[in-house]
Amino acid sequence: MARNIQSLERAAAMLRLLAGGERRLGLSDVASSLGLAKGTAHGILRTLQAEGFVEQDAASGRYQLGAELLRLGNSYLDVHELRARALVWTDDLARASGESVYVGVLHKSGVLIMHHVFRPDDSRQVLEVGAMQPLHSTALGKVLSAYDPVAHTQAVEVEREAFTPRTVTDGAGFEEILDLTRARGWAADVEETWDGIASVAAPIHNRRRMPVGAVAVAGAVERVCGDAGEPRAALIASVRDCARAVSRDLGAGRF
Amino acid sequence: MTSSTGPFIAAIDQGTTSSRCIVFDRDGRIVAVDQKEHEQIFPKPGWVEHDATEIWTNVQEVVAGAIAKAAQDVPGFTSADVKAVGITNQRETTLMWDRHTGEPVHNALVWQDTRTDALCKELGRNVGQDRFRRETGLPLASYFAGPKARWLLDNVEGLRERAEAGDILFGTMDSWVIWNLTGGAQGGVHVTDVTNASRTMLMNLHNLTWDERIAESMGVPLNVLPEIRSSAEVYGEVKEGVLAGVPVASALGDQQAALFGQTCFAEGEAKSTYGTGTFMLMNTGDKIINSYSGLLTTVGYKIGDEKPVYALEGSIAVTGSLVQWMRDQMGLIKSAAEIETLASSVEDNGGAYFVPAFSGLFAPYWRSDARGVITGLTRYVTKAHIARAVLEATAWQTREITDAMTKDSGVELAALKVDGGMTSNNLLMQTLSDFLDAPVVRPMVAETTCLGAAYAAGLAVGFWPDTDALRANWRRAAEWTPRMPAEQRDREYKSWLKAVERSMGWVDDEDAS
């Protein structure tokens, strides 16, 4: 194991110190508790302060934990919260597009379907909540891989299976698709996972602009795509509108 | 989104915590929404009031707000594109006002208000709480409007004299909103619909007219009562504001509106709305079914001159509020949605059962001496098992209501249509389907209450031709089918029933209240 970085260890010790007992401590208290020179302690505290992890009381000059720490702890979004927020918007997307709608999140090197709205016709359909889809070939997976670095790493590391003749499996080709996805803000899967099925997906962001999931419309390739074999523009706009609406509900700003 | 084109129907939902207005297009899609909360007034423990003047102001604001939003989002929209406005409302909340000035004589007494408990006992005399059940379908309980009206007449100084002189009008919130919309003191129509009237305990279910004998026993003069009309007909026109000239064409109590919005038009079709509490209604067609299992018999709806459609109703006091209790009082979860995350982290309830009889057991038991229990605890049980037991409690209580409905009506539940906030909980919906051994279906429009009022208003003005056209609008958004083996379901149900038994008899008679 590589040697640890001393200043980070010291910063961590300071945060623990401020989190326990008295909570507000002066510079000399911090320095003496940790056996550091005042100058060293001050340098670390100032850095932590600039990052928002520590705050200094203006009147007493004492230090305490900063609001950024709390935000870090709370930034995890419960997937069921995501479903609750997405419900109204995805219903409307299904209704407007006439197709099935899915919301997916990253889970164990794949896409976990955590919400599914039926295609609004009278046909028998089975709820696919809990199903897994591949990262590299589906529209949901491409969006997650393009925006979430963790998903990207996993998509690059897994073996990219060719489900159909149209599945892109080579590394360079895959990266190109992700670049395109980031550039235009959406991804498509035209018969790359299932024959006859096409889908379009867009990213859902939280208030910290972190990608927390993706929303997709999927249906028969003849309906989803126009004559040129590309997804219809109106459908793309609907999916992106829906993703933006859910993001706004999660507190993300307008973009 | 593909943009909607007119014409449209507006619905006003005057609810317990807020008033809303939603504009719908012909496909039943939402075009615009506006909403405003009003104050909950708690003068004493158990008393709940609303300021009816504030409510009327809010209703005007949300109507204007929704119309303004529609004008913003729909190119070329004018309020002339709104063909009718429908009303749905919190049921049983009771108001009396001066017909000459439009001034309420007192705050509205909200359905949750329990101040008429003692009065209801007194009204039962030697017969008990079922004294008026045969005529009204209801037990004597503090929810219903008749006893609340009596309380106002007894307790507001000079009110009885003014009422007898013909200066006072009584109404539930539908009557108040319609009277004001149609001109108030300047010619407003004083009406109510059969569903709201069926919650007053003053209407005879068999002929849908005020029951003079009951009104007399209850001490409510007939001349304060509104005219009883169908749920879907033109009562009058909006007098002022953005919707001036638009017909006011429907009124339905909120739960009946949800039944209508869920298009439960055939006998045996049922809906269950999962909010803080849960309300389940089953369409029983033209049959008035007397319940021997503690359910309420009520009017489902009546379209114009058609025959009335009746319903059985069962309510569960604590469902969503149990999840809130886990969040706010126990601190086991940070948000309501997290209950599913916690509950999904285990395979089963670990042997634990939670009976949330916080204020006694309701249908089908009606035991006020019961209190909440968690049973079956061992050292193995974790907070995740308790979370699971919390969700199962909602599902088992629904099962008990459906069993009671089947027993009373002889109709087996084919499928349950669900709506309300808790339908976003996938584990709960699957559990519900498993416990009921029936499919559970969620429709695409979550706002079934407003939609029901809009549907009824649209039928009244010919915007939609018939209920078949409304059925065609209904879209399945999700369906859960039973996966649980029958032996397991039966075994679990037995354990649940044992847990329910454990909750009974906790409060001794003397301190029961």
Side-chain angles (χ1 to χ4, degrees), chain B residues 254-341:
Chain B
D254 51 12
Q255 298 307 326
Q256 279 90 341
L259 185 77
F260 209 83
Q262 285 271 29
T263 67
C264 294
F265 299 135
E267 188 177 338
E269 287 189 308
K271 73 90 200 173
S272 198
T273 302
Y274 290 88
T276 319
T278 289
F279 291 88
M280 182 167 164
L281 270 77
M282 181 194 253
N283 182 324
T284 61
D286 55 8
K287 296 191 203 63
I288 299 175
I289 292 174
N290 286 319
S291 176
Y292 297 97
S293 318
L295 304 173
L296 306 181
T297 311
T298 197
V299 182
Y301 56 88
K302 179 180 185 322
I303 303 168
D305 296 332
E306 292 174 28
K307 283 201 293 189
V309 169
Y310 294 93
L312 275 175
E313 172 173 329
S315 54
I316 310 170
V318 179
T319 51
S321 55
L322 182 58
V323 176
Q324 288 166 0
W325 181 84
M326 289 284 281
R327 181 192 64 198
D328 302 335
Q329 260 94 331
M330 293 295 105
L332 290 174
I333 43 173
K334 286 205 298 283
S335 70
E338 253 186 63
I339 191 86
E340 188 176 354
T341 312

XYZ file of all heavy atoms in Angstrom, chain B residues 254-341:
658
model
N -65.105 14.143 -2.718
C -63.791 13.782 -3.269
C -63.617 12.279 -3.559
O -63.115 11.901 -4.619
C -62.635 14.325 -2.409
C -62.763 13.997 -0.925
O -63.616 13.163 -0.564
O -62.002 14.583 -0.134
N -64.040 11.424 -2.625
C -63.834 9.986 -2.846
C -64.721 9.461 -3.977
O -64.317 8.599 -4.753
C -64.076 9.199 -1.559
C -63.113 9.566 -0.436
C -61.659 9.470 -0.843
O -61.267 8.624 -1.643
N -60.834 10.351 -0.315
N -65.925 9.991 -4.071
C -66.799 9.598 -5.175
C -66.241 10.119 -6.496
O -66.340 9.454 -7.530
C -68.210 10.153 -4.955
C -69.050 9.317 -3.996
C -68.905 9.741 -2.548
O -67.949 10.417 -2.179
N -69.854 9.354 -1.721
N -65.631 11.315 -6.464
C -65.021 11.864 -7.673
C -63.877 10.960 -8.143
O -63.704 10.723 -9.336
C -64.514 13.282 -7.416
N -63.110 10.429 -7.182
C -62.015 9.526 -7.544
C -62.572 8.241 -8.164
O -62.018 7.715 -9.130
C -61.153 9.211 -6.326
N -63.680 7.744 -7.617
C -64.338 6.559 -8.184
C -64.734 6.832 -9.643
O -64.538 5.996 -10.528
C -65.582 6.216 -7.356
C -66.341 4.933 -7.707
C -65.592 3.708 -7.176
C -67.761 4.945 -7.124
N -65.261 8.035 -9.866
C -65.686 8.450 -11.206
C -64.472 8.642 -12.117
O -64.466 8.209 -13.269
C -66.486 9.755 -11.091
C -67.512 9.943 -12.164
C -68.759 9.349 -12.064
C -67.240 10.721 -13.285
C -69.724 9.523 -13.044
C -68.190 10.906 -14.273
C -69.437 10.305 -14.161
N -63.435 9.287 -11.600
C -62.218 9.538 -12.380
C -61.507 8.245 -12.741
O -60.833 8.154 -13.767
N -61.645 7.239 -11.876
C -61.058 5.924 -12.158
C -61.967 5.108 -13.081
O -61.704 3.932 -13.334
C -60.835 5.162 -10.850
C -59.644 5.652 -10.036
C -58.348 4.943 -10.414
O -58.181 4.520 -11.557
N -57.430 4.824 -9.487
N -63.038 5.726 -13.530
C -64.032 5.105 -14.424
C -64.531 3.756 -13.897
O -64.662 2.798 -14.643
C -63.509 4.949 -15.880
O -62.436 4.006 -15.908
C -63.050 6.270 -16.458
N -64.817 3.705 -12.590
C -65.410 2.498 -12.002
C -66.914 2.570 -12.225
O -67.684 2.816 -11.302
C -65.093 2.408 -10.512
S -63.343 2.161 -10.180
N -67.338 2.379 -13.460
C -68.740 2.551 -13.829
C -69.552 1.256 -13.752
O -70.762 1.272 -13.897
C -68.853 3.125 -15.250
C -68.210 4.483 -15.393
C -67.397 4.777 -16.482
C -68.426 5.482 -14.445
C -66.805 6.033 -16.627
C -67.841 6.738 -14.576
C -67.030 7.006 -15.671
N -68.871 0.121 -13.588
C -69.597 -1.149 -13.566
C -69.667 -1.687 -12.140
O -68.766 -1.455 -11.330
C -68.914 -2.163 -14.471
N -70.728 -2.398 -11.847
C -70.902 -3.012 -10.542
C -69.699 -3.896 -10.237
O -69.242 -4.651 -11.092
C -72.195 -3.839 -10.552
C -72.572 -4.364 -9.195
C -73.896 -5.114 -9.214
O -74.698 -4.874 -10.143
O -74.123 -5.928 -8.312
N -69.175 -3.796 -9.023
C -68.037 -4.619 -8.622
C -66.694 -3.959 -8.855
O -65.676 -4.429 -8.361
N -66.669 -2.846 -9.607
C -65.396 -2.154 -9.799
C -65.117 -1.284 -8.577
O -66.027 -0.659 -8.030
C -65.439 -1.294 -11.069
C -65.372 -2.142 -12.337
C -65.202 -1.306 -13.598
O -65.994 -0.362 -13.799
O -64.299 -1.610 -14.380
N -63.860 -1.262 -8.174
C -63.514 -0.555 -6.946
C -62.231 0.233 -7.105
O -61.375 -0.107 -7.913
C -63.352 -1.550 -5.801
N -62.129 1.299 -6.328
C -60.881 2.077 -6.296
C -60.468 2.291 -4.856
O -61.299 2.292 -3.942
C -61.056 3.403 -7.022
C -61.906 4.432 -6.278
C -61.093 5.328 -5.367
C -61.986 5.978 -4.308
N -61.259 6.723 -3.319
N -59.178 2.448 -4.657
C -58.666 2.718 -3.331
C -57.650 3.847 -3.445
O -56.751 3.796 -4.276
C -58.008 1.441 -2.786
O -57.878 1.525 -1.403
N -57.851 4.883 -2.634
C -56.977 6.048 -2.691
C -56.044 6.040 -1.482
O -56.508 6.080 -0.342
C -57.808 7.341 -2.707
O -58.689 7.303 -3.833
C -56.917 8.574 -2.812
N -54.745 5.944 -1.733
C -53.759 5.816 -0.664
C -53.100 7.142 -0.332
O -52.190 7.580 -1.022
C -52.706 4.760 -1.038
C -53.298 3.378 -1.028
C -53.905 2.862 -2.159
C -53.325 2.632 0.141
C -54.513 1.615 -2.136
C -53.930 1.390 0.177
C -54.514 0.887 -0.963
O -55.119 -0.330 -0.930
N -53.614 7.802 0.676
C -52.999 9.039 1.160
C -52.644 8.863 2.624
O -52.244 7.774 3.030
N -52.808 9.931 3.405
C -52.586 9.871 4.851
C -53.391 8.703 5.426
O -52.893 7.888 6.179
C -53.085 11.180 5.483
O -52.692 12.240 4.643
C -52.506 11.374 6.834
N -54.653 8.670 5.032
C -55.503 7.517 5.299
C -55.884 6.929 3.958
O -55.425 7.403 2.924
N -56.708 5.886 3.981
C -57.080 5.258 2.720
C -58.599 5.120 2.633
O -59.243 4.769 3.626
C -56.385 3.893 2.607
O -55.003 4.132 2.399
C -56.934 3.068 1.448
N -59.137 5.438 1.468
C -60.568 5.327 1.258
C -60.816 4.399 0.081
O -60.292 4.630 -1.010
C -61.179 6.694 0.958
C -61.170 7.613 2.152
C -60.070 8.417 2.405
C -62.246 7.648 3.021
C -60.056 9.258 3.514
C -62.240 8.481 4.122
C -61.149 9.285 4.369
N -61.598 3.369 0.327
C -61.911 2.434 -0.738
C -63.414 2.459 -1.001
O -64.210 2.398 -0.071
C -61.488 1.036 -0.318
C -61.747 0.023 -1.392
S -60.899 -1.505 -0.994
C -61.751 -2.580 -2.112
N -63.789 2.594 -2.267
C -65.195 2.574 -2.660
C -65.410 1.523 -3.726
O -64.589 1.377 -4.631
C -65.635 3.935 -3.219
C -66.192 4.949 -2.208
C -65.050 5.566 -1.425
C -66.987 6.031 -2.910
N -66.531 0.790 -3.576
C -66.891 -0.202 -4.576
C -68.268 0.144 -5.150
O -69.213 0.398 -4.401
C -66.939 -1.601 -3.963
C -67.291 -2.685 -4.980
S -67.723 -4.230 -4.151
C -66.267 -5.203 -4.500
N -68.336 0.175 -6.472
C -69.592 0.410 -7.169
C -70.514 -0.796 -6.949
O -70.136 -1.929 -7.233
C -69.275 0.596 -8.668
C -70.503 0.887 -9.502
O -71.579 0.368 -9.249
N -70.329 1.720 -10.522
N -71.719 -0.553 -6.411
C -72.665 -1.659 -6.202
C -73.886 -1.503 -7.111
O -74.952 -2.057 -6.847
C -73.114 -1.756 -4.733
O -73.769 -0.531 -4.370
C -71.940 -1.984 -3.796
N -73.733 -0.704 -8.176
C -74.807 -0.543 -9.154
C -76.035 0.116 -8.547
O -75.911 1.048 -7.755
N -77.222 -0.396 -8.887
C -78.428 0.252 -8.360
C -78.844 -0.342 -7.015
O -79.923 -0.058 -6.519
C -79.575 0.161 -9.382
C -79.847 -1.275 -9.809
O -79.262 -2.202 -9.196
O -80.638 -1.481 -10.738
N -77.966 -1.163 -6.430
C -78.317 -1.799 -5.158
C -77.821 -0.997 -3.956
O -76.653 -0.631 -3.885
C -77.699 -3.196 -5.088
C -78.223 -4.156 -6.112
C -77.738 -5.562 -5.776
C -77.734 -6.465 -6.981
N -76.831 -6.066 -8.067
N -78.735 -0.765 -3.027
C -78.352 -0.169 -1.750
C -78.033 -1.332 -0.828
O -78.923 -2.048 -0.390
C -79.511 0.657 -1.174
C -79.864 1.786 -2.145
C -79.156 1.193 0.193
C -81.083 2.585 -1.723
N -76.757 -1.569 -0.584
C -76.386 -2.739 0.200
C -76.187 -2.351 1.658
O -75.324 -1.539 1.977
C -75.126 -3.399 -0.388
C -75.497 -4.006 -1.746
C -74.581 -4.461 0.568
C -74.347 -4.558 -2.504
N -77.010 -2.918 2.523
C -76.830 -2.681 3.950
C -75.608 -3.446 4.408
O -75.507 -4.644 4.180
C -78.055 -3.163 4.721
C -79.225 -2.222 4.543
O -79.059 -1.004 4.558
N -80.402 -2.782 4.357
N -74.694 -2.767 5.055
C -73.488 -3.444 5.475
C -73.667 -4.041 6.867
O -74.144 -3.376 7.781
C -72.308 -2.485 5.492
O -71.179 -3.172 5.991
N -73.267 -5.299 6.996
C -73.229 -5.926 8.312
C -71.785 -6.078 8.759
O -71.500 -6.746 9.722
C -73.961 -7.273 8.248
C -75.431 -7.086 7.916
C -75.901 -7.212 6.610
C -76.335 -6.713 8.919
C -77.243 -6.999 6.307
C -77.675 -6.499 8.627
C -78.127 -6.643 7.317
O -79.439 -6.413 7.029
N -70.878 -5.463 8.017
C -69.454 -5.588 8.335
C -68.820 -4.241 8.641
O -67.619 -4.073 8.517
C -68.711 -6.232 7.171
O -69.435 -7.296 6.642
N -69.648 -3.280 8.982
C -69.095 -1.997 9.406
C -68.684 -1.087 8.264
O -67.924 -0.144 8.463
N -69.159 -1.346 7.056
C -68.865 -0.426 5.948
C -69.976 0.617 5.855
O -71.051 0.445 6.434
C -68.777 -1.204 4.638
C -67.758 -2.347 4.609
C -67.895 -3.136 3.320
C -66.342 -1.802 4.749
N -69.728 1.684 5.111
C -70.752 2.696 4.905
C -71.442 2.448 3.572
O -70.824 2.016 2.607
C -70.122 4.095 4.867
C -69.240 4.485 6.050
C -68.734 5.903 5.864
C -70.015 4.359 7.347
N -72.735 2.760 3.531
C -73.468 2.700 2.276
C -73.676 4.133 1.824
O -74.086 4.988 2.625
C -74.833 2.012 2.469
O -74.608 0.793 3.176
C -75.490 1.726 1.142
N -73.355 4.412 0.573
C -73.342 5.803 0.144
C -73.722 5.881 -1.334
O -73.831 4.851 -1.993
C -71.930 6.394 0.445
O -71.991 7.799 0.420
C -70.897 5.910 -0.530
N -73.966 7.102 -1.816
C -74.253 7.245 -3.238
C -72.924 7.398 -3.972
O -72.065 8.182 -3.567
C -75.153 8.469 -3.515
C -75.479 8.571 -5.007
C -76.443 8.381 -2.720
N -72.733 6.633 -5.037
C -71.498 6.714 -5.818
C -71.518 7.921 -6.739
O -70.604 8.731 -6.763
N -72.608 8.049 -7.488
C -72.810 9.208 -8.356
C -74.185 9.086 -8.997
O -74.824 8.016 -8.945
C -71.736 9.296 -9.459
C -71.628 8.068 -10.328
C -72.424 7.921 -11.467
C -70.737 7.046 -10.013
C -72.333 6.785 -12.254
C -70.642 5.901 -10.791
C -71.445 5.775 -11.913
O -71.370 4.655 -12.689
N -74.655 10.160 -9.584
C -75.890 10.137 -10.363
C -75.692 11.097 -11.518
O -75.385 12.275 -11.321
C -77.068 10.564 -9.490
C -78.425 10.589 -10.232
C -79.515 11.020 -9.260
C -80.922 10.987 -9.803
N -81.156 11.382 -11.172
N -75.804 10.580 -12.736
C -75.606 11.415 -13.921
C -76.969 11.903 -14.402
O -77.792 11.108 -14.850
C -74.919 10.615 -15.051
C -73.579 10.051 -14.559
C -74.722 11.485 -16.287
C -72.964 9.027 -15.485
N -77.220 13.190 -14.301
C -78.462 13.790 -14.794
C -79.699 13.024 -14.346
O -79.886 12.763 -13.155
N -80.526 12.631 -15.322
C -81.779 11.944 -15.006
C -81.610 10.434 -14.854
O -82.576 9.727 -14.590
C -82.820 12.201 -16.119
C -83.187 13.675 -16.193
O -83.091 14.339 -15.140
O -83.548 14.140 -17.294
N -80.382 9.944 -15.069
C -80.182 8.497 -14.967
C -80.376 8.027 -13.526
O -80.403 8.828 -12.606
C -78.766 8.127 -15.452
C -78.584 8.331 -16.940
C -77.134 8.096 -17.377
O -76.436 7.310 -16.715
O -76.723 8.708 -18.371
N -80.468 6.700 -13.370
C -80.644 6.142 -12.030
C -79.367 6.366 -11.210
O -78.267 6.374 -11.762
C -80.924 4.637 -12.133
C -82.347 4.329 -12.545
C -82.746 2.913 -12.148
C -81.967 1.870 -12.934
N -82.451 0.499 -12.735
N -79.529 6.520 -9.900
C -78.326 6.681 -9.078
C -77.521 5.390 -9.009
O -78.085 4.302 -9.129
C -78.890 7.026 -7.696
C -80.271 6.455 -7.691
C -80.768 6.558 -9.100
N -76.214 5.529 -8.837
C -75.333 4.385 -8.647
C -74.837 4.440 -7.205
O -74.355 5.476 -6.756
C -74.152 4.443 -9.636
C -73.093 3.407 -9.276
C -74.655 4.232 -11.062
N -74.990 3.327 -6.489
C -74.611 3.295 -5.081
C -73.225 2.691 -4.893
O -72.654 2.109 -5.816
C -75.659 2.521 -4.281
C -76.994 3.226 -4.259
C -77.982 2.929 -5.194
C -77.245 4.214 -3.313
C -79.205 3.599 -5.186
C -78.464 4.890 -3.298
C -79.437 4.577 -4.232
O -80.622 5.244 -4.219
N -72.700 2.854 -3.688
C -71.362 2.339 -3.411
C -71.257 1.901 -1.960
O -72.007 2.375 -1.101
C -70.316 3.403 -3.706
N -70.336 0.985 -1.717
C -69.932 0.649 -0.355
C -68.596 1.316 -0.115
O -67.754 1.379 -1.006
C -69.764 -0.865 -0.200
C -71.008 -1.695 0.120
C -70.637 -3.175 0.095
C -71.590 -1.317 1.481
N -68.415 1.821 1.103
C -67.177 2.525 1.394
C -66.538 1.975 2.659
O -67.203 1.740 3.661
C -67.472 4.020 1.579
C -66.264 4.808 2.069
C -66.495 6.319 2.088
O -67.264 6.806 1.238
O -65.904 6.986 2.954
N -65.221 1.784 2.583
C -64.465 1.405 3.771
C -63.255 2.304 3.870
O -62.648 2.630 2.850
N -62.955 2.747 5.085
C -61.789 3.621 5.197
C -60.808 3.050 6.208
O -61.188 2.329 7.126
C -62.212 5.021 5.594
O -62.986 4.970 6.762
N -59.543 3.366 5.986
C -58.480 2.971 6.906
C -57.880 4.264 7.431
O -57.469 5.124 6.652
C -57.394 2.140 6.189
C -58.032 1.004 5.384
C -56.390 1.604 7.182
C -57.059 0.288 4.468
N -57.869 4.412 8.745
C -57.472 5.697 9.327
C -55.991 5.987 9.111
O -55.598 7.098 8.795
C -57.801 5.711 10.817
N -55.156 4.966 9.297
C -53.710 5.198 9.333
C -53.017 4.379 8.252
O -52.924 3.161 8.370
C -53.141 4.817 10.719
C -51.644 5.038 10.766
C -53.831 5.613 11.824
N -52.581 5.019 7.183
C -51.770 4.318 6.171
C -50.534 5.157 5.860
O -49.479 4.926 6.433
C -52.578 3.984 4.890
O -53.242 5.142 4.404
C -53.618 2.932 5.178
N -50.695 6.192 5.031
C -49.552 7.071 4.758
C -49.052 7.728 6.037
O -47.848 7.964 6.205
N -49.960 8.000 6.954
C -49.551 8.665 8.193
C -48.676 7.749 9.051
O -47.913 8.230 9.889
C -50.771 9.145 8.985
O -51.644 8.085 9.228
N -48.759 6.418 8.840
C -47.869 5.510 9.572
C -46.433 5.656 9.054
O -45.474 5.629 9.832
C -48.345 4.061 9.414
C -47.534 3.000 10.155
C -47.495 3.281 11.653
C -48.090 1.608 9.895
N -46.305 5.853 7.745
C -44.977 6.081 7.167
C -44.424 7.420 7.680
O -43.247 7.522 8.045
C -45.036 6.059 5.623
C -43.683 6.400 5.030
C -45.504 4.695 5.133
N -45.295 8.425 7.754
C -44.874 9.722 8.299
C -44.437 9.580 9.758
O -43.478 10.215 10.195
C -46.011 10.743 8.207
C -46.279 11.193 6.781
C -47.604 11.920 6.648
O -48.344 12.110 7.619
N -47.930 12.339 5.434
N -45.138 8.752 10.488
C -44.809 8.505 11.902
C -43.428 7.856 12.016
O -42.626 8.205 12.872
C -45.894 7.602 12.490
C -45.767 7.256 13.934
C -46.188 7.984 15.004
C -45.208 6.043 14.470
N -45.929 7.308 16.173
C -45.332 6.120 15.876
C -44.631 4.910 13.911
C -44.877 5.099 16.722
C -44.182 3.905 14.744
C -44.310 3.999 16.138
N -43.126 6.928 11.114
C -41.805 6.291 11.082
C -40.711 7.323 10.792
O -39.586 7.205 11.252
C -41.762 5.217 9.991
C -42.576 3.990 10.299
S -41.759 2.924 11.495
C -40.544 2.096 10.443
N -41.082 8.328 9.970
C -40.114 9.365 9.611
C -39.987 10.409 10.725
O -38.890 10.682 11.190
C -40.570 10.041 8.308
C -39.642 11.126 7.808
C -40.307 11.937 6.711
N -41.487 12.656 7.215
C -42.447 13.164 6.442
N -42.393 13.028 5.139
N -43.469 13.807 6.984
N -41.118 10.958 11.177
C -41.086 12.107 12.077
C -40.947 11.722 13.548
O -40.187 12.343 14.275
C -42.342 12.961 11.893
C -42.474 13.449 10.455
O -41.432 13.545 9.774
O -43.603 13.718 10.015
N -41.679 10.705 13.989
C -41.618 10.354 15.407
C -40.506 9.360 15.712
O -39.866 9.463 16.735
C -42.954 9.777 15.886
C -43.804 10.790 16.614
C -44.784 11.462 15.681
O -44.511 11.599 14.498
N -45.910 11.875 16.223
N -40.288 8.387 14.819
C -39.277 7.366 15.074
C -37.918 7.734 14.484
O -36.899 7.243 14.935
C -39.724 6.018 14.488
C -40.932 5.410 15.163
S -40.626 4.964 16.879
C -41.505 6.277 17.727
N -37.914 8.567 13.435
C -36.654 8.960 12.819
C -35.948 7.808 12.124
O -34.728 7.841 11.952
N -36.673 6.756 11.731
C -36.037 5.597 11.094
C -35.766 5.823 9.615
O -34.991 5.090 9.004
C -36.916 4.352 11.281
C -36.977 3.818 12.715
C -37.983 2.685 12.830
C -35.604 3.333 13.172
N -36.435 6.812 9.034
C -36.209 7.138 7.631
C -36.176 8.663 7.495
O -36.706 9.369 8.348
C -37.331 6.564 6.708
C -38.707 6.801 7.351
C -37.120 5.100 6.427
C -39.875 6.430 6.483
N -35.549 9.150 6.414
C -35.449 10.599 6.227
C -36.569 11.136 5.354
O -36.979 12.276 5.484
C -34.098 10.967 5.605
C -32.937 10.872 6.586
C -31.783 11.776 6.193
C -31.168 11.436 4.864
N -30.282 10.250 4.910
N -37.040 10.314 4.414
C -38.161 10.738 3.578
C -39.134 9.581 3.481
O -38.765 8.428 3.736
C -37.667 11.114 2.179
O -37.253 9.953 1.493
N -40.380 9.887 3.123
C -41.400 8.841 3.044
C -40.996 7.765 2.037
O -41.228 6.571 2.254
C -42.750 9.447 2.666
N -40.357 8.175 0.938
C -39.987 7.215 -0.104
C -38.963 6.202 0.408
O -38.892 5.077 -0.082
C -39.436 7.952 -1.322
N -38.177 6.606 1.415
C -37.127 5.717 1.927
C -37.655 4.473 2.617
O -36.919 3.504 2.814
C -36.264 6.496 2.923
C -34.902 6.851 2.404
C -34.076 7.479 3.495
O -33.790 6.820 4.513
O -33.739 8.663 3.328
N -38.945 4.483 2.982
C -39.511 3.298 3.641
C -39.354 2.084 2.723
O -39.097 0.971 3.182
C -41.006 3.523 4.013
C -41.521 2.405 4.933
C -41.906 3.611 2.786
C -41.272 2.622 6.377
N -39.460 2.322 1.417
C -39.331 1.217 0.465
C -37.893 0.704 0.412
O -37.654 -0.502 0.330
C -39.800 1.664 -0.931
C -39.860 0.509 -1.915
C -40.404 0.895 -3.273
O -40.861 2.050 -3.437
O -40.369 0.048 -4.177
N -36.949 1.629 0.460
C -35.536 1.249 0.451
C -35.223 0.387 1.662
O -34.608 -0.682 1.553
C -34.654 2.510 0.484
O -35.139 3.425 -0.494
C -33.213 2.178 0.221
